């Protein structure tokens, strides 16, 4: 297992470097951040000095080389816009994003697994239709629309939940305050994931329910609950793990829109703001971290395969 | 079955926490006021502030500018008690009596000189204002790295600083271009820091010493700035304990105001979309106020690429601005030519805006074609994507221009990209909301339409210059006489009608909103925060 992980990490290294090269090229192709500073009061002389200080006049490969050298020394640089250390900015925003993603993923799976199995076991019955109907609804409804709908109902009409943020600014904070702020963004992300995942799990369990070994198990007189929970569910976990692996990048990307609508202080809004202001160090750091998370997500998925299915061997 | 029950139970618990945890109103009457803004904050460091409204006000709450415009568009003393000049070249700044930092130290002329010296540092390289005018700086406006002072600054006494300039300018221009943007920082706290350290200091995000009514305690530039009251503010401790700038999407202002989460929206920091304005105005619990028409919808024409003046004149004639004002803004604004609006002391009622005349526009385009203008050429027109009202107006204007014989291709851009493209001169036309300070639009006008650089390196968005405009500007910068300045701006505005480097599509009366629970707060374009320490909550 250790050897496998080491091998995967080694393979991940050139992939990561490739991603950062492409990111850097795309980013610099978009233009120079100082070009955005324009107006009657703007000092052109100061812009020229700033460009020199930031090395923006150097060839791109030199700028990239400098950035990668900084990264190798554990330094993500300074934000061009806020002049704050990028590592501090990332750290302070990563937590809220991971919290939002983690809770949404958890809630989604807490719903998906039992209801997906129920739907498969009760195929073509009223409960199944209800769950499949919900699944289609959840997949179809755009996240931004659901967000606005929830804000309209719970904030504007009922005045029960805050429309944005993570904590009440200047308030006492605490778990309840956090929970209030999380309800709507978590709901939006969970609904979207649940819709997709329900379909995967239902079809995976349906496929397994028809398998010979389950019929044999049932013929042996093992109870229906044990057959499903001990034999069917474990085998149905393989596609669930695949879905889990796929959800991580989707969540990372999808949360940008949700974070923006709900003003959630995570990486999403930070990234949007950095892209719009061409804040190179922040864009690159977010790109690198996203790539690392996706690569780790893939690795964890592969490891979980082996845990769930003894037939899978990691070499 | 137990597991399913558990999952359902857990979700119900989370939702219940959310809903019942919210017992009471969203804005629960505590001493917290939320200001809705729609732009992100750059930096709270006054040395790095760029010339955006949000940056200026976000820093100005902590470190007072010397003066600020009030609701009438006149200069009001903030940190300075007075600014005077006898020769339009040496300006004497006298700081307010009793002005103290929050730690009890007096705010001194030394602090101001220190701030200005750092603003002129090549390491700081502030882009918000050039100090080239200050005696003792080089042609680029810089002093030597690590300089202790600028030779043009003379500390007369603890409260008085003399600022000597290389060339004359009117007191109005000095105040509008410099005194509004210089925010003094404490020398006794930051004096030992190197310029590099000052540049990257995060101290400004939670300063322990300020001279303004508030100090930031928590900052996330993409999301919010949270301030606590400065109990030792020399003009009196603010009664609102916590003031928050909440950065939201413009469409969220309506929901925030409806729910009571947002208490205050100032027109230039929080742009309420036109389509939401009627609903906002009808909301209960808030008061919506349309300010004087100040912000213009300016269509800048790159005169180096659209070099036939008849084509530009045809554009002005083709656009039915009255129709746009009525149909898009519900008449909440006005139509003017040039830079001066009815909110300005220099407004000349006798100068009538040119009315739309499509036939005349067609004739002008035909004349231009006979002079070699290629009427098959598609002009590249970029507009600000977030200005939904103008995004809706653009296709109407496009079809009017097409009818006149001018083809344009519309692209919508975010503000930063728009600025970058305008700076790179990759566009023919650009439209953006531009607020010209009506008390002194000199600097903006000079930059926009007085480009004396004949080569390809021109810097202004229009690349335009004219002798008449240059001469008028030269007189404006030295004059204090309202009637004289009024006459000069008339010359400039007439030049805009004649040579059309810029079309003032319409002037917007900005919508500001204040919650009825907040007293003494007026959401005006200028001066909204001048008296923030006097804001109180009812009850």
């Amino acid at each position: 297992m250790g050897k496998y992980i080491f091998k995967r990490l080694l393979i991940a290294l050139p992939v990561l470097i490739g991603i950062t090269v492409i990111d850097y090229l795309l980013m610099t192709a978009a233009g120079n951040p100082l070009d955005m500073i324009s107006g009657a009061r703007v000092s052109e002389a100061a812009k020229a000095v700033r460009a020199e200080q930031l090395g923006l006049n150097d060839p791109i490969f030199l700028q990239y080389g400098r950035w990668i050298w900084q990264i190798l020394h554990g330094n993500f640089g300074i934000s061009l816009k806020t002049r704050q250390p990028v590592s501090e900015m990332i750290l302070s925003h990563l937590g809220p994003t991971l919290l939002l993603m983690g809770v949404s993923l958890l809630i989604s799976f807490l719903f998906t697994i039992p209801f997906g199995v129920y739907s498969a076991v009760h195929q073509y019955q009223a409960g199944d239709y209800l769950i499949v109907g919900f699944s289609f609804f959840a997949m179809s409804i755009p996240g931004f629309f659901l967000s606005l709908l929830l804000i309209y109902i719970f904030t504007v009409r009922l005045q029960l939940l805050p429309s944005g943020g993570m904590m009440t600014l200047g308030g006492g904070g605490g778990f309840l305050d956090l929970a209030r702020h999380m309800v709507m963004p978590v709901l939006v992300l969970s609904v979207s994931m649940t819709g997709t995942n329900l379909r995967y799990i239902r079809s995976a369990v349906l496929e397994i329910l028809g398998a010979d070994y389950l019929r044999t198990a049932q013929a042996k007189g093992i109870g229906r609950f044990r057959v499903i929970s001990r034999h069917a569910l474990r085998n149905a976990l393989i596609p669930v793990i695949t879905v889990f692996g796929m959800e991580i990048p989707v969540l990372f990307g999808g949360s940008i829109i949700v974070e923006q609508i709900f003003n959630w202080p995570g990486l999403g809004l930070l990234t949007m703001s950095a892209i719009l202001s061409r804040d190179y160090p922040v864009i690159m750091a977010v790109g690198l971290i996203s790539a690392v998370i996706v690569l780790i997500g893939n690795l964890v998925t592969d490891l979980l395969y082996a845990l769930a299915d003894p037939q899978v061997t990691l070499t | 079955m137990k597991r399913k029950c558990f999952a359902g139970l857990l979700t119900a618990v989370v939702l219940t926490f959310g809903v019942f945890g919210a017992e009471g109103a969203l804005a629960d009457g505590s001493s917290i006021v939320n200001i809705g803004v729609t732009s992100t904050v750059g930096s709270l460091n006054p040395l790095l502030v760029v010339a955006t409204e949000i940056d200026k006000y976000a820093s100005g709450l902590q470190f007072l500018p010397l003066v600020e415009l009030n609701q009438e568009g006149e200069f009001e003393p903030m940190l300075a008690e007075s600014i005077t000049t006898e020769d339009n070249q040496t300006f004497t700044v006298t700081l307010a009596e009793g002005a103290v930092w929050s730690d009890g130290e007096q705010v001194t002329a030394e602090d101001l000189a220190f701030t200005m010296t750092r603003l002129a540092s090549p390491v700081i390289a502030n882009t918000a204002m050039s100090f080239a005018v200050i005696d003792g700086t080089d042609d680029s406006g810089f002093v030597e790295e690590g300089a202790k002072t600028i030779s043009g600054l003379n500390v007369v006494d603890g409260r008085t600083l003399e600022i000597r300039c290389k060339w004359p300018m009117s007191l109005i221009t000095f105040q509008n271009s410099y005194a509004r943007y210089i925010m003094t920082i404490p020398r006794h706290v930051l004096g030992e820091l190197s310029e590099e350290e000052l540049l990257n200091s995060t101290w400004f995000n939670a300063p322990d010493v300020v001279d303004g009514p508030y100090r930031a305690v928590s900052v996330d530039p993409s999301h919010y700035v949270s301030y606590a009251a400065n109990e030792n503010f020399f003009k009196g401790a603010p009664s609102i304990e916590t003031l928050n700038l909440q950065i939201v999407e413009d469409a969220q202002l309506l929901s925030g105001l409806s729910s009571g989460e947002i208490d205050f929206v100032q027109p230039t920091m929080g742009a309420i979309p036109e389509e939401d304005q009627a609903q906002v105005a009808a909301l209960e619990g808030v008061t919506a106020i349309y300010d004087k028409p100040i912000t213009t919808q300016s269509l800048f024409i790159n005169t180096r690429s659209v070099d036939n003046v008849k084509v530009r004149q045809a554009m002005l004639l083709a656009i039915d601005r009255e129709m746009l004002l009525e149909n898009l803004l519900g008449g909440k604004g006005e139509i003017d030519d040039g830079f001066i609006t009815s909110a300005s002391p220099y407004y000349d009622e006798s100068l009538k805006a040119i009315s739309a005349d499509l036939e005349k526009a067609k004739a002008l385009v035909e004349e231009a074609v006979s002079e070699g203008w290629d009427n098959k050429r598609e002009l590249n027109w970029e507009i600000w994507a977030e200005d939904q009202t103008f995004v809706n107006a653009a296709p109407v204007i496009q079809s009017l221009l097409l009818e006149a014989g001018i083809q344009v291709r519309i692209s919508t851009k975010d503000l930063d990209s728009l600025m970058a493209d305008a700076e790179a001169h990759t566009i023919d036309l650009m439209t953006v909301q531009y607020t010209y300070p009506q008390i002194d639009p000199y600097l903006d006008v000079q930059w926009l339409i007085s480009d004396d650089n004949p080569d390809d390196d021109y810097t202004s968005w229009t690349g335009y210059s004219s002798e008449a405009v240059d001469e008028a500007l030269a007189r404006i910068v030295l004059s204090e006489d309202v009637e004289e300045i009024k006459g000069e701006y008339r010359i400039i505005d007439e030049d805009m009608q004649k040579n059309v480097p810029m079309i003032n599509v319409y002037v917007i009366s900005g919508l500001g909103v204040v919650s009825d629970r907040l007293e003494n707060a007026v959401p005006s374009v200028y001066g909204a925060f001048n008296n923030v320490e006097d804001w109180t909550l009812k009850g």
Side-chain angles (χ1 to χ4, degrees):
Chain A
M1 176 81 82
K3 199 176 162 191
Y4 174 78
I5 293 173
F6 182 68
K7 206 167 95 182
R8 284 292 300 269
L9 289 177
L10 273 185
I11 294 168
L13 214 57
V15 174
L16 262 184
I17 292 172
I19 289 170
T20 60
V21 169
I22 292 168
D23 276 359
Y24 210 92
L25 286 175
L26 286 174
M27 188 183 66
T28 47
N32 181 325
L34 293 179
D35 288 345
M36 299 172 155
I37 304 174
S38 179
R41 282 175 184 75
V42 172
S43 158
E44 292 299 320
K47 275 173 68 176
V49 170
R50 195 71 77 82
E52 199 59 43
Q53 284 173 348
L54 300 172
L56 296 173
N57 298 331
D58 295 335
I60 290 171
F61 70 87
L62 205 63
Q63 294 182 43
Y64 175 76
R66 215 169 20 232
W67 177 78
I68 206 94
W69 184 251
Q70 277 184 339
I71 295 296
L72 290 173
H73 288 80
N75 178 7
F76 281 84
I78 302 280
S79 160
L80 303 184
K81 188 177 181 190
T82 65
R83 306 299 304 185
Q84 292 179 14
V86 174
S87 50
E88 281 180 22
M89 289 170 75
I90 298 283
L91 274 179
S92 64
H93 289 81
L94 188 61
T97 291
L98 289 178
L99 179 70
L100 189 64
M101 282 168 55
V103 173
S104 305
L105 204 59
L106 180 72
I107 290 191
S108 166
F109 274 93
L110 283 175
F111 263 100
T112 307
I113 294 173
F115 285 105
V117 172
Y118 178 90
S119 180
V121 172
H122 299 85
Q123 194 184 16
Y124 302 138
Q125 292 179 19
D128 178 38
Y129 287 127
L130 198 68
I131 290 167
V132 171
F134 169 77
S135 161
F136 278 121
F137 167 78
M139 279 195 302
S140 319
I141 190 164
F144 74 89
F145 178 76
L146 182 61
S147 305
L148 296 177
L149 189 70
L150 291 174
I151 289 173
Y152 179 73
I153 295 169
F154 291 107
T155 307
V156 177
R157 303 303 303 176
L158 302 174
Q159 302 205 353
L160 286 173
L161 294 171
S163 65
M166 188 172 160
M167 292 280 185
T168 303
L169 294 176
F175 175 73
L176 282 182
D177 192 39
L178 176 65
R180 281 175 57 205
H181 285 83
M182 282 185 78
V183 172
M184 289 197 286
V186 163
L187 204 60
V188 172
L189 285 173
S190 312
V191 162
S192 135
M193 281 186 290
T194 303
T196 316
N197 296 350
L198 272 173
R199 305 275 306 151
Y200 277 110
I201 289 174
R202 180 179 178 273
S203 58
V205 175
L206 271 178
E207 201 179 312
I208 285 158
L209 285 178
D212 291 344
Y213 68 90
L214 275 197
R215 264 203 304 277
T216 309
Q218 277 173 331
K220 280 182 172 176
I222 300 173
R224 183 180 164 85
F225 180 76
R226 264 190 88 189
V227 167
I228 292 166
S229 60
R230 297 286 293 273
H231 298 274
L233 196 57
R234 179 159 185 180
N235 287 293
L237 272 180
I238 299 292
V240 175
I241 291 167
T242 311
V243 171
F244 173 76
M246 288 191 315
E247 294 290 3
I248 292 173
V250 170
L251 260 179
F252 225 79
S255 67
I256 290 181
I257 295 166
V258 173
E259 283 184 10
Q260 187 142 20
I261 294 174
F262 290 106
N263 207 22
W264 187 261
L267 277 181
L269 210 53
L270 180 77
T271 310
M272 280 298 290
S273 173
I275 290 170
L276 291 177
S277 56
R278 298 181 188 170
D279 196 343
Y280 288 178
V282 178
I283 297 172
M284 285 307 294
V286 172
L288 181 67
I289 286 169
S290 304
V292 167
I293 287 179
V294 170
L295 288 172
I296 290 175
N298 287 346
L299 177 61
V300 170
T301 307
D302 288 346
L303 296 177
L304 288 175
Y305 278 149
L307 284 177
D309 186 352
Q311 294 177 70
V312 176
T313 51
L314 301 174
T315 54
Chain B
M1 184 57 76
K2 277 181 186 170
R3 290 180 193 191
K4 275 191 291 185
C5 288
F6 174 71
L9 195 66
L10 188 73
T11 311
V13 167
V14 172
L15 288 170
T16 311
F17 266 133
V19 174
F20 292 101
E23 197 177 343
L26 289 171
D28 58 4
S30 55
S31 188
I32 300 174
V33 165
N34 295 313
I35 299 167
V37 298
T38 49
S39 329
T40 56
V41 177
S43 172
L44 292 185
N45 183 341
L47 304 178
L48 296 175
V49 162
V50 290
T52 60
E53 293 282 300
I54 175 85
D55 269 21
K56 180 175 153 38
Y57 288 122
S59 283
L61 286 166
Q62 308 192 97
F63 303 102
L64 290 180
L66 296 172
V67 296
E68 184 51 282
L69 291 171
N70 64 19
Q71 288 155 24
E72 303 308 316
E74 299 155 344
F75 293 107
E76 185 175 310
M78 296 299 283
L79 182 62
E81 182 180 278
S82 67
I83 300 177
T84 57
T85 181
E86 286 178 7
D87 59 359
N88 278 349
Q89 200 152 348
T90 300
F91 297 89
T92 305
V93 179
T94 306
L95 299 180
E97 196 172 357
V100 289
W101 297 104
S102 51
D103 62 357
E105 291 283 324
Q106 193 190 338
V107 183
T108 65
E110 291 281 0
D111 289 321
L112 178 55
F114 167 70
T115 304
M116 291 183 69
T117 307
R118 288 293 174 261
L119 279 167
S121 158
V123 178
I124 302 287
N126 98 79
T127 53
M129 62 193 128
S130 168
F131 271 29
V133 69
I134 309 291
D135 200 13
T137 62
D138 63 19
D139 290 345
S140 301
F142 296 128
V143 290
E144 288 289 316
E145 187 179 335
K148 298 287 179 201
T149 188
I150 307 174
S151 60
L153 304 180
N154 175 30
V155 176
V156 177
D157 59 41
R159 286 174 54 210
T160 314
L161 181 74
E162 274 180 4
I163 302 166
R164 199 171 57 252
C165 294
K166 292 177 197 165
W167 55 82
M169 75 171 91
S170 72
L171 180 60
I172 296 174
T173 298
F174 178 81
Q175 292 187 98
N176 189 49
S177 303
Y178 293 95
R180 282 184 68 210
Y181 291 88
I182 295 172
M183 290 172 262
T184 306
I185 56 174
R187 183 171 178 250
H188 68 284
V189 177
L190 303 170
E192 296 303 314
L193 294 186
S194 70
E195 285 141 297
E196 185 72 30
E197 287 169 329
L198 263 178
L199 182 65
N200 298 324
S201 174
T202 53
W203 180 84
F204 297 96
N205 288 347
D208 47 7
V209 177
V210 295
D211 64 358
Y214 284 91
R215 60 183 180 83
V217 288
S218 177
V219 179
D220 179 344
S222 307
H223 298 90
Y224 63 84
V225 183
S226 187
Y227 299 91
N230 170 14
E231 299 296 334
N232 300 321
F233 184 46
F234 68 94
K235 293 185 180 182
S239 71
I240 309 289
E241 291 163 14
T242 302
L243 195 72
N244 300 317
L245 296 183
Q246 286 204 337
I247 299 160
V248 296
E249 291 290 303
D250 56 359
Q252 291 173 308
L253 289 173
L254 173 60
S255 61
L257 288 163
S258 308
S259 63
E261 287 174 295
I262 292 175
D263 301 295
F264 190 84
V265 180
Q266 189 263 357
T268 53
M269 284 165 70
I272 298 171
E274 178 59 32
E275 59 270 24
D276 289 347
Q277 291 195 359
Q279 278 177 277
V280 168
L283 283 177
E284 285 182 17
V286 301
T287 302
I289 299 167
Y290 283 97
D291 206 340
K292 294 172 192 158
I294 293 175
T295 302
T296 68
Q297 191 66 261
S298 298
L299 194 164
F300 296 103
I301 304 173
N302 183 343
T303 59
R304 309 285 177 115
S305 68
V306 187
D307 54 0
N308 191 310
V309 69
K310 286 175 181 159
V311 175
R312 303 200 299 266
Q313 288 168 344
M315 287 180 184
L316 178 59
L317 286 163
I319 302 170
D320 189 343
R321 294 180 288 168
E322 289 289 351
M323 177 266 289
L324 293 173
L325 180 68
E326 276 310 309
N327 294 338
L328 290 168
L329 299 181
K332 299 282 192 304
E334 66 185 32
I335 302 296
D336 297 306
D337 283 331
F339 302 94
I340 301 299
T341 77
S342 63
S344 172
Y346 318 125
Y347 183 63
D348 188 339
E349 279 178 25
S350 66
L351 181 68
K352 299 294 176 202
I354 289 178
S355 303
D357 188 336
L358 203 52
E359 292 310 313
K360 214 187 258 185
K362 282 179 191 171
L364 279 167
V365 173
E366 278 170 23
E367 279 179 45
V369 170
S370 68
E371 290 170 9
W373 173 259
D374 178 10
N375 64 345
K376 300 228 169 18
R377 179 179 159 198
E378 197 176 40
L379 300 177
N380 175 19
W381 182 22
E382 291 193 0
I383 59 179
W384 181 30
E386 287 170 41
D387 183 353
Q388 199 54 49
T389 308
F390 199 77
V391 170
N392 294 334
V396 179
I397 296 174
Q398 184 186 34
S399 64
L400 289 169
L401 292 175
L402 186 62
E403 217 169 316
I406 302 165
Q407 297 187 50
V408 295
R409 183 180 64 254
I410 301 170
S411 320
T412 56
K413 292 277 174 82
D414 65 88
L415 193 58
D416 286 334
S417 301
L418 198 62
M419 295 295 106
D421 290 351
E423 184 79 1
H425 303 116
T426 55
I427 48 183
D428 301 310
L429 314 174
M430 177 187 78
T431 308
V432 69
Q433 287 187 12
Y434 203 125
T435 304
Y436 305 102
Q438 291 298 313
I439 186 74
D440 178 43
Y442 168 80
L443 199 65
D444 299 272
V445 175
Q446 196 243 2
W447 181 74
L448 286 164
I449 59 165
S450 180
D451 203 315
D452 56 1
N453 196 343
D455 61 22
D456 287 340
D457 291 332
Y458 60 99
T459 53
S460 77
W461 294 342
T462 63
Y464 178 77
S465 64
S466 92
E467 217 170 287
V469 168
D470 290 348
E471 285 171 5
L473 285 169
R475 289 188 290 269
I476 287 170
V477 77
L478 297 176
S479 179
E480 299 283 337
D481 185 281
V482 172
E483 284 308 312
E484 188 190 349
I485 298 172
K486 185 175 174 176
E488 302 301 344
Y489 276 117
R490 182 180 172 115
I491 292 172
I492 292 170
D493 287 349
E494 282 175 338
D495 195 276
M496 295 301 97
Q497 292 182 325
K498 190 176 151 203
N499 294 312
V500 204
M502 185 274 276
I503 297 172
N504 186 341
V505 183
Y506 47 71
V507 190
I508 303 162
S509 294
L511 179 63
V513 187
V514 57
S515 164
D516 290 346
R517 75 186 189 109
L518 198 55
E519 291 181 317
N520 302 327
V522 180
S524 53
V525 170
Y526 293 120
F529 303 104
N530 289 7
N531 68 331
V532 68
E533 68 276 9
D534 297 329
W535 291 10
T536 53
L537 288 171
K538 280 183 187 166

